[in-house]
CSV table of all heavy atoms in Angstrom, one decimal:
chain,number,residue,atom,x,y,z
A,369,ALA,N,5.5,161.3,149.4
A,369,ALA,CA,4.7,160.2,150.0
A,369,ALA,C,5.5,158.9,150.0
A,369,ALA,O,5.1,157.9,150.6
A,369,ALA,CB,3.4,160.1,149.3
A,370,ARG,N,6.6,158.8,149.2
A,370,ARG,CA,7.4,157.6,149.2
A,370,ARG,C,8.2,157.4,150.4
A,370,ARG,O,8.8,156.4,150.6
A,370,ARG,CB,8.3,157.6,147.9
A,370,ARG,CG,7.5,157.6,146.6
A,370,ARG,CD,8.3,157.1,145.4
A,370,ARG,NE,9.5,157.9,145.2
A,370,ARG,CZ,9.5,158.9,144.2
A,370,ARG,NH1,8.4,159.2,143.6
A,370,ARG,NH2,10.5,159.7,144.0
A,371,TYR,N,8.3,158.4,151.2
A,371,TYR,CA,9.1,158.4,152.4
A,371,TYR,C,8.2,158.7,153.7
A,371,TYR,O,7.2,159.3,153.5
A,371,TYR,CB,10.2,159.5,152.4
A,371,TYR,CG,11.2,159.3,151.3
A,371,TYR,CD1,11.0,159.8,150.1
A,371,TYR,CD2,12.4,158.5,151.5
A,371,TYR,CE1,12.0,159.7,149.0
A,371,TYR,CE2,13.3,158.4,150.5
A,371,TYR,CZ,13.1,158.9,149.3
A,371,TYR,OH,14.0,158.8,148.3
A,372,ASN,N,8.6,158.2,154.8
A,372,ASN,CA,7.9,158.5,156.0
A,372,ASN,C,8.4,159.9,156.5
A,372,ASN,O,9.4,160.4,156.1
A,372,ASN,CB,8.0,157.5,157.1
A,372,ASN,CG,9.4,157.3,157.7
A,372,ASN,OD1,10.1,158.3,158.0
A,372,ASN,ND2,9.9,156.1,157.8
A,373,TYR,N,7.6,160.5,157.4
A,373,TYR,CA,7.9,161.9,157.8
A,373,TYR,C,9.3,162.0,158.5
A,373,TYR,O,9.9,163.1,158.4
A,373,TYR,CB,6.8,162.4,158.7
A,373,TYR,CG,5.5,162.8,157.8
A,373,TYR,CD1,4.5,161.9,157.7
A,373,TYR,CD2,5.5,164.0,157.2
A,373,TYR,CE1,3.4,162.2,156.9
A,373,TYR,CE2,4.4,164.3,156.4
A,373,TYR,CZ,3.3,163.4,156.2
A,373,TYR,OH,2.3,163.7,155.4
A,374,THR,N,9.7,161.0,159.3
A,374,THR,CA,11.0,161.1,159.9
A,374,THR,C,12.1,161.2,158.8
A,374,THR,O,13.0,162.0,158.9
A,374,THR,CB,11.2,159.9,160.8
A,374,THR,OG1,10.2,159.9,161.9
A,374,THR,CG2,12.6,159.9,161.5
A,375,GLU,N,12.0,160.3,157.8
A,375,GLU,CA,13.0,160.3,156.8
A,375,GLU,C,13.0,161.6,156.0
A,375,GLU,O,14.0,162.2,155.7
A,375,GLU,CB,12.7,159.2,155.8
A,375,GLU,CG,12.9,157.8,156.3
A,375,GLU,CD,12.5,156.7,155.3
A,375,GLU,OE1,11.3,156.8,154.9
A,375,GLU,OE2,13.3,155.8,155.0
A,376,ILE,N,11.8,162.2,155.7
A,376,ILE,CA,11.7,163.4,155.0
A,376,ILE,C,12.4,164.6,155.8
A,376,ILE,O,13.2,165.3,155.2
A,376,ILE,CB,10.2,163.8,154.8
A,376,ILE,CG1,9.6,162.8,153.8
A,376,ILE,CG2,10.1,165.3,154.2
A,376,ILE,CD1,8.1,163.0,153.7
A,377,MET,N,12.2,164.6,157.1
A,377,MET,CA,12.7,165.7,157.9
A,377,MET,C,14.3,165.5,158.0
A,377,MET,O,15.0,166.5,157.9
A,377,MET,CB,12.1,165.8,159.3
A,377,MET,CG,10.6,166.1,159.3
A,377,MET,SD,10.2,167.4,158.1
A,377,MET,CE,11.2,168.8,158.6
A,378,LYS,N,14.7,164.3,158.1
A,378,LYS,CA,16.2,164.1,158.1
A,378,LYS,C,16.8,164.5,156.8
A,378,LYS,O,17.9,165.1,156.7
A,378,LYS,CB,16.5,162.7,158.4
A,378,LYS,CG,16.3,162.3,159.9
A,378,LYS,CD,16.7,160.8,160.2
A,378,LYS,CE,16.5,160.5,161.6
A,378,LYS,NZ,16.8,159.1,162.0
A,379,LYS,N,16.1,164.2,155.7
A,379,LYS,CA,16.7,164.6,154.4
A,379,LYS,C,16.7,166.1,154.2
A,379,LYS,O,17.7,166.7,153.7
A,379,LYS,CB,15.8,163.9,153.3
A,379,LYS,CG,16.2,162.4,153.0
A,379,LYS,CD,15.3,161.8,152.0
A,379,LYS,CE,15.8,160.4,151.6
A,379,LYS,NZ,17.0,160.4,150.8
A,380,PHE,N,15.6,166.8,154.5
A,380,PHE,CA,15.6,168.2,154.3
A,380,PHE,C,16.5,169.0,155.3
A,380,PHE,O,17.2,169.9,154.9
A,380,PHE,CB,14.1,168.7,154.5
A,380,PHE,CG,13.3,168.8,153.3
A,380,PHE,CD1,12.1,168.2,153.2
A,380,PHE,CD2,13.8,169.4,152.1
A,380,PHE,CE1,11.3,168.3,152.0
A,380,PHE,CE2,13.1,169.5,151.0
A,380,PHE,CZ,11.8,168.9,150.9
A,381,LEU,N,16.5,168.6,156.6
A,381,LEU,CA,17.2,169.3,157.6
A,381,LEU,C,18.7,169.0,157.6
A,381,LEU,O,19.6,169.8,158.0
A,381,LEU,CB,16.6,169.2,159.0
A,381,LEU,CG,15.2,169.7,159.1
A,381,LEU,CD1,14.7,169.3,160.5
A,381,LEU,CD2,15.1,171.2,158.9
A,382,LEU,N,19.1,167.7,157.2
A,382,LEU,CA,20.4,167.2,157.4
A,382,LEU,C,21.1,166.7,156.1
A,382,LEU,O,22.2,166.4,156.1
A,382,LEU,CB,20.4,166.1,158.4
A,382,LEU,CG,19.8,166.4,159.8
A,382,LEU,CD1,19.8,165.1,160.6
A,382,LEU,CD2,20.6,167.5,160.5
A,383,GLY,N,20.3,166.6,155.1
A,383,GLY,CA,20.8,166.0,153.8
A,383,GLY,C,21.8,166.9,153.1
A,383,GLY,O,21.8,168.1,153.2
A,384,THR,N,22.6,166.2,152.3
A,384,THR,CA,23.5,166.9,151.4
A,384,THR,C,23.3,166.5,150.0
A,384,THR,O,22.8,165.4,149.7
A,384,THR,CB,25.0,166.6,151.8
A,384,THR,OG1,25.2,165.2,151.8
A,384,THR,CG2,25.3,167.1,153.2
A,385,LEU,N,23.7,167.4,149.1
A,385,LEU,CA,23.5,167.1,147.6
A,385,LEU,C,24.8,166.8,147.0
A,385,LEU,O,25.7,167.7,147.1
A,385,LEU,CB,22.8,168.3,147.0
A,385,LEU,CG,21.4,168.5,147.4
A,385,LEU,CD1,21.0,170.0,147.1
A,385,LEU,CD2,20.5,167.6,146.6
A,386,PRO,N,25.0,165.7,146.4
A,386,PRO,CA,26.3,165.3,145.8
A,386,PRO,C,26.7,166.4,144.8
A,386,PRO,O,27.9,166.7,144.7
A,386,PRO,CB,26.0,164.0,145.2
A,386,PRO,CG,24.9,163.4,145.9
A,386,PRO,CD,24.0,164.6,146.3
A,387,GLY,N,25.8,166.9,144.0
A,387,GLY,CA,26.2,167.9,143.0
A,387,GLY,C,26.3,169.3,143.5
A,387,GLY,O,26.7,170.2,142.7
A,388,GLY,N,25.9,169.6,144.7
A,388,GLY,CA,25.9,170.9,145.3
A,388,GLY,C,24.9,171.9,144.8
A,388,GLY,O,24.9,173.0,145.1
A,389,LEU,N,23.9,171.4,144.0
A,389,LEU,CA,22.8,172.2,143.6
A,389,LEU,C,21.5,171.5,143.7
A,389,LEU,O,21.4,170.3,143.3
A,389,LEU,CB,23.0,172.6,142.1
A,389,LEU,CG,22.0,173.5,141.5
A,389,LEU,CD1,21.9,174.9,142.1
A,389,LEU,CD2,22.3,173.7,140.0
A,390,PHE,N,20.5,172.1,144.3
A,390,PHE,CA,19.2,171.4,144.5
A,390,PHE,C,18.4,171.3,143.2
A,390,PHE,O,17.4,171.9,143.0
A,390,PHE,CB,18.4,172.2,145.5
A,390,PHE,CG,17.5,171.4,146.4
A,390,PHE,CD1,16.9,171.9,147.5
A,390,PHE,CD2,17.2,170.0,146.0
A,390,PHE,CE1,16.0,171.2,148.3
A,390,PHE,CE2,16.4,169.3,146.8
A,390,PHE,CZ,15.8,169.8,147.9
A,391,SER,N,19.0,170.5,142.3
A,391,SER,CA,18.4,170.3,141.0
A,391,SER,C,18.6,168.9,140.5
A,391,SER,O,19.8,168.4,140.7
A,391,SER,CB,19.0,171.3,140.0
A,391,SER,OG,18.4,171.2,138.7
A,392,VAL,N,17.6,168.2,140.0
A,392,VAL,CA,17.7,166.8,139.6
A,392,VAL,C,17.0,166.6,138.3
A,392,VAL,O,16.2,167.5,137.9
A,392,VAL,CB,17.1,165.9,140.7
A,392,VAL,CG1,17.8,166.0,142.0
A,392,VAL,CG2,15.6,166.1,140.8
A,393,SER,N,17.4,165.5,137.6
A,393,SER,CA,16.7,165.2,136.4
A,393,SER,C,15.2,165.0,136.7
A,393,SER,O,14.8,164.6,137.8
A,393,SER,CB,17.3,164.0,135.7
A,393,SER,OG,17.1,162.9,136.5
A,394,THR,N,14.4,165.3,135.7
A,394,THR,CA,12.9,165.2,135.9
A,394,THR,C,12.4,163.8,136.1
A,394,THR,O,11.2,163.6,136.5
A,394,THR,CB,12.2,165.9,134.7
A,394,THR,OG1,12.6,165.2,133.5
A,394,THR,CG2,12.4,167.3,134.6
A,395,ASP,N,13.2,162.8,135.9
A,395,ASP,CA,12.8,161.4,136.2
A,395,ASP,C,13.2,161.0,137.6
A,395,ASP,O,12.9,159.8,138.0
A,395,ASP,CB,13.3,160.4,135.1
A,395,ASP,CG,14.9,160.4,135.1
A,395,ASP,OD1,15.5,161.3,135.7
A,395,ASP,OD2,15.4,159.5,134.5
A,396,GLN,N,13.7,161.9,138.4
A,396,GLN,CA,14.1,161.6,139.8
A,396,GLN,C,13.2,162.4,140.7
A,396,GLN,O,12.8,163.5,140.3
A,396,GLN,CB,15.5,161.9,140.1
A,396,GLN,CG,16.5,161.0,139.4
A,396,GLN,CD,18.0,161.4,139.8
A,396,GLN,OE1,18.5,162.4,139.4
A,396,GLN,NE2,18.6,160.6,140.7
A,397,GLY,N,13.0,161.9,141.9
A,397,GLY,CA,12.4,162.7,142.9
A,397,GLY,C,13.4,163.6,143.6
A,397,GLY,O,14.6,163.3,143.7
A,398,ILE,N,12.9,164.8,144.1
A,398,ILE,CA,13.7,165.7,144.8
A,398,ILE,C,14.4,165.1,146.0
A,398,ILE,O,15.6,165.2,146.2
A,398,ILE,CB,12.9,167.0,145.2
A,398,ILE,CG1,12.6,167.8,144.0
A,398,ILE,CG2,13.7,167.8,146.3
A,398,ILE,CD1,13.7,168.5,143.4
A,399,LEU,N,13.7,164.4,146.8
A,399,LEU,CA,14.2,163.8,148.0
A,399,LEU,C,15.2,162.6,147.7
A,399,LEU,O,16.0,162.3,148.5
A,399,LEU,CB,13.1,163.3,148.9
A,399,LEU,CG,12.2,164.4,149.6
A,399,LEU,CD1,11.1,163.8,150.4
A,399,LEU,CD2,13.1,165.3,150.4
A,400,ASP,N,15.0,162.0,146.5
A,400,ASP,CA,15.8,160.8,146.2
A,400,ASP,C,17.3,161.1,146.2
A,400,ASP,O,18.1,160.2,146.5
A,400,ASP,CB,15.4,160.2,144.8
A,400,ASP,CG,14.0,159.7,144.8
A,400,ASP,OD1,13.4,159.5,145.9
A,400,ASP,OD2,13.4,159.6,143.7
A,401,THR,N,17.7,162.3,145.9
A,401,THR,CA,19.1,162.7,145.7
A,401,THR,C,19.7,163.2,147.0
A,401,THR,O,20.9,163.3,147.1
A,401,THR,CB,19.3,163.8,144.7
A,401,THR,OG1,18.5,164.9,145.0
A,401,THR,CG2,18.8,163.3,143.3
A,402,LEU,N,18.9,163.5,148.0
A,402,LEU,CA,19.5,164.0,149.3
A,402,LEU,C,20.1,162.9,150.1
A,402,LEU,O,19.4,161.9,150.4
A,402,LEU,CB,18.4,164.7,150.1
A,402,LEU,CG,18.0,166.1,149.6
A,402,LEU,CD1,16.7,166.6,150.3
A,402,LEU,CD2,19.1,167.1,149.9
A,403,GLU,N,21.3,163.0,150.4
A,403,GLU,CA,22.0,162.0,151.2
A,403,GLU,C,22.0,162.4,152.7
A,403,GLU,O,22.4,163.5,153.0
A,403,GLU,CB,23.4,161.8,150.7
A,403,GLU,CG,23.5,161.3,149.3
A,403,GLU,CD,25.0,161.2,148.8
A,403,GLU,OE1,25.9,161.6,149.6
A,403,GLU,OE2,25.2,160.7,147.7
A,404,THR,N,21.5,161.6,153.6
A,404,THR,CA,21.5,161.9,155.0
A,404,THR,C,22.6,161.2,155.7
A,404,THR,O,23.0,160.1,155.4
A,404,THR,CB,20.1,161.5,155.6
A,404,THR,OG1,19.9,160.1,155.3
A,404,THR,CG2,19.0,162.3,155.0
A,405,PRO,N,23.1,161.9,156.8
A,405,PRO,CA,24.2,161.3,157.6
A,405,PRO,C,23.7,160.0,158.3
A,405,PRO,O,22.6,159.9,158.7
A,405,PRO,CB,24.6,162.4,158.5
A,405,PRO,CG,23.4,163.3,158.7
A,405,PRO,CD,22.7,163.2,157.3
A,406,ALA,N,24.7,159.1,158.6
A,406,ALA,CA,24.3,157.9,159.3
A,406,ALA,C,23.9,158.2,160.7
A,406,ALA,O,23.1,157.4,161.3
A,406,ALA,CB,25.5,156.9,159.2
A,407,THR,N,24.5,159.2,161.3
A,407,THR,CA,24.2,159.6,162.7
A,407,THR,C,23.8,161.1,162.7
A,407,THR,O,24.3,161.8,161.8
A,407,THR,CB,25.4,159.4,163.6
A,407,THR,OG1,26.5,160.1,163.1
A,407,THR,CG2,25.8,157.9,163.7
A,408,LEU,N,23.1,161.5,163.7
A,408,LEU,CA,22.6,162.8,163.8
A,408,LEU,C,23.8,163.7,164.2
A,408,LEU,O,24.6,163.3,165.1
A,408,LEU,CB,21.5,163.0,164.8
A,408,LEU,CG,20.2,162.3,164.5
A,408,LEU,CD1,19.2,162.5,165.6
A,408,LEU,CD2,19.6,162.8,163.1
A,409,PRO,N,23.9,164.9,163.7
A,409,PRO,CA,25.0,165.9,164.2
A,409,PRO,C,24.6,166.3,165.6
A,409,PRO,O,23.5,166.1,166.1
A,409,PRO,CB,24.9,167.0,163.2
A,409,PRO,CG,23.4,167.0,162.7
A,409,PRO,CD,23.0,165.6,162.7
A,410,SER,N,25.6,166.9,166.3
A,410,SER,CA,25.5,167.3,167.7
A,410,SER,C,24.4,168.3,167.9
A,410,SER,O,23.8,168.4,169.0
A,410,SER,CB,26.8,167.9,168.2
A,410,SER,OG,27.2,169.0,167.4
A,411,TRP,N,24.0,169.1,166.8
A,411,TRP,CA,23.0,170.2,167.0
A,411,TRP,C,21.6,169.7,166.8
A,411,TRP,O,20.7,170.5,166.9
A,411,TRP,CB,23.4,171.3,166.1
A,411,TRP,CG,23.6,171.0,164.7
A,411,TRP,CD1,24.7,170.6,164.0
A,411,TRP,CD2,22.5,171.0,163.6
A,411,TRP,NE1,24.5,170.4,162.7
A,411,TRP,CE2,23.2,170.7,162.4
A,411,TRP,CE3,21.2,171.4,163.6
A,411,TRP,CZ2,22.5,170.6,161.2
A,411,TRP,CZ3,20.5,171.3,162.4
A,411,TRP,CH2,21.2,170.9,161.2
A,412,MET,N,21.4,168.5,166.4
A,412,MET,CA,20.0,168.0,166.2
A,412,MET,C,19.8,166.6,166.9
A,412,MET,O,20.6,165.7,166.7
A,412,MET,CB,19.8,167.8,164.7
A,412,MET,CG,18.4,167.3,164.3
A,412,MET,SD,17.1,168.6,164.5
A,412,MET,CE,17.5,169.7,163.1
A,413,THR,N,18.8,166.6,167.7
A,413,THR,CA,18.5,165.3,168.4
A,413,THR,C,17.4,164.5,167.8
A,413,THR,O,16.6,165.1,166.9
A,413,THR,CB,18.1,165.6,169.9
A,413,THR,OG1,16.8,166.3,169.9
A,413,THR,CG2,19.1,166.5,170.6
A,414,GLU,N,17.2,163.3,168.1
A,414,GLU,CA,16.1,162.5,167.6
A,414,GLU,C,14.8,163.1,168.1
A,414,GLU,O,13.8,163.1,167.3
A,414,GLU,CB,16.2,161.1,168.1
A,414,GLU,CG,15.2,160.1,167.5
A,414,GLU,CD,15.4,159.9,166.0
A,414,GLU,OE1,16.6,159.9,165.5
A,414,GLU,OE2,14.4,159.9,165.3
A,415,GLU,N,14.8,163.7,169.3
A,415,GLU,CA,13.5,164.3,169.8
A,415,GLU,C,13.2,165.5,168.9
A,415,GLU,O,12.0,165.7,168.6
A,415,GLU,CB,13.8,164.8,171.2
A,415,GLU,CG,12.5,165.5,171.8
A,415,GLU,CD,12.8,166.0,173.2
A,415,GLU,OE1,14.0,166.1,173.6
A,415,GLU,OE2,11.9,166.4,173.9
A,416,ASP,N,14.2,166.3,168.4
A,416,ASP,CA,13.9,167.4,167.5
A,416,ASP,C,13.3,166.9,166.2
A,416,ASP,O,12.3,167.5,165.7
A,416,ASP,CB,15.2,168.2,167.2
A,416,ASP,CG,15.9,168.8,168.4
A,416,ASP,OD1,15.1,169.1,169.4
A,416,ASP,OD2,17.1,169.0,168.4
A,417,ILE,N,13.9,165.9,165.6
A,417,ILE,CA,13.4,165.3,164.4
A,417,ILE,C,12.0,164.9,164.5
A,417,ILE,O,11.1,165.1,163.6
A,417,ILE,CB,14.3,164.2,163.9
A,417,ILE,CG1,15.7,164.7,163.5
A,417,ILE,CG2,13.7,163.4,162.7
A,417,ILE,CD1,15.7,165.5,162.2
A,418,GLN,N,11.7,164.2,165.6
A,418,GLN,CA,10.4,163.7,165.8
A,418,GLN,C,9.3,164.8,166.0
A,418,GLN,O,8.2,164.6,165.6
A,418,GLN,CB,10.4,162.7,167.0
A,418,GLN,CG,11.1,161.4,166.8
A,418,GLN,CD,10.7,160.7,165.5
A,418,GLN,OE1,9.5,160.6,165.2
A,418,GLN,NE2,11.6,160.2,164.7
A,419,TYR,N,9.7,165.9,166.6
A,419,TYR,CA,8.8,167.0,166.7
A,419,TYR,C,8.4,167.5,165.3
A,419,TYR,O,7.2,167.7,165.0
A,419,TYR,CB,9.3,168.1,167.6
A,419,TYR,CG,8.3,169.2,167.8
A,419,TYR,CD1,7.4,169.2,168.8
A,419,TYR,CD2,8.3,170.4,166.9
A,419,TYR,CE1,6.4,170.2,168.9
A,419,TYR,CE2,7.3,171.3,167.0
A,419,TYR,CZ,6.4,171.2,168.1
A,419,TYR,OH,5.4,172.2,168.2
A,420,PHE,N,9.4,167.8,164.5
A,420,PHE,CA,9.1,168.2,163.1
A,420,PHE,C,8.3,167.2,162.4
A,420,PHE,O,7.3,167.6,161.7
A,420,PHE,CB,10.4,168.4,162.4
A,420,PHE,CG,11.2,169.7,162.7
A,420,PHE,CD1,12.4,169.7,163.4
A,420,PHE,CD2,10.7,170.9,162.3
A,420,PHE,CE1,13.1,170.8,163.7
A,420,PHE,CE2,11.4,172.1,162.6
A,420,PHE,CZ,12.6,172.0,163.3
A,421,ALA,N,8.6,165.9,162.5
A,421,ALA,CA,7.9,164.9,161.8
A,421,ALA,C,6.5,164.8,162.2
A,421,ALA,O,5.6,164.7,161.4
A,421,ALA,CB,8.6,163.5,162.0
A,422,LYS,N,6.2,164.9,163.5
A,422,LYS,CA,4.9,164.8,164.0
A,422,LYS,C,4.0,166.0,163.5
A,422,LYS,O,2.9,165.8,163.1
A,422,LYS,CB,4.9,164.9,165.6
A,422,LYS,CG,3.5,164.9,166.2
A,422,LYS,CD,3.6,165.0,167.7
A,422,LYS,CE,4.0,166.4,168.2
A,422,LYS,NZ,3.9,166.6,169.6
A,423,MET,N,4.6,167.2,163.5
A,423,MET,CA,3.8,168.3,163.0
A,423,MET,C,3.5,168.3,161.5
A,423,MET,O,2.4,168.7,161.1
A,423,MET,CB,4.5,169.6,163.4
A,423,MET,CG,4.7,169.8,164.9
A,423,MET,SD,3.1,169.5,165.9
A,423,MET,CE,2.2,170.9,165.4
A,424,PHE,N,4.5,167.8,160.7
A,424,PHE,CA,4.2,167.8,159.3
A,424,PHE,C,3.3,166.6,158.9
A,424,PHE,O,2.6,166.6,157.9
A,424,PHE,CB,5.5,167.7,158.5
A,424,PHE,CG,6.2,169.1,158.3
A,424,PHE,CD1,7.2,169.5,159.1
A,424,PHE,CD2,5.6,170.0,157.4
A,424,PHE,CE1,7.8,170.8,159.0
A,424,PHE,CE2,6.2,171.3,157.3
A,424,PHE,CZ,7.2,171.7,158.1
Side-chain angles (χ1 to χ4, degrees):
R370 297 201 295 267
Y371 297 89
N372 65 48
Y373 284 94
T374 298
E375 291 175 308
I376 293 171
M377 296 318 303
K378 285 181 178 179
K379 281 179 172 289
F380 268 129
L381 298 176
L382 306 173
T384 56
L385 290 160
L389 179 66
F390 209 169
S391 184
V392 298
S393 63
T394 53
D395 61 347
Q396 289 181 291
I398 288 291
L399 292 178
D400 298 342
T401 59
L402 283 168
E403 298 177 354
T404 53
T407 58
L408 296 180
S410 60
W411 54 272
M412 182 71 72
T413 68
E414 189 64 39
E415 181 184 12
D416 297 333
I417 291 290
Q418 291 308 317
Y419 184 84
F420 283 110
K422 178 183 73 172
M423 298 310 293
F424 280 101

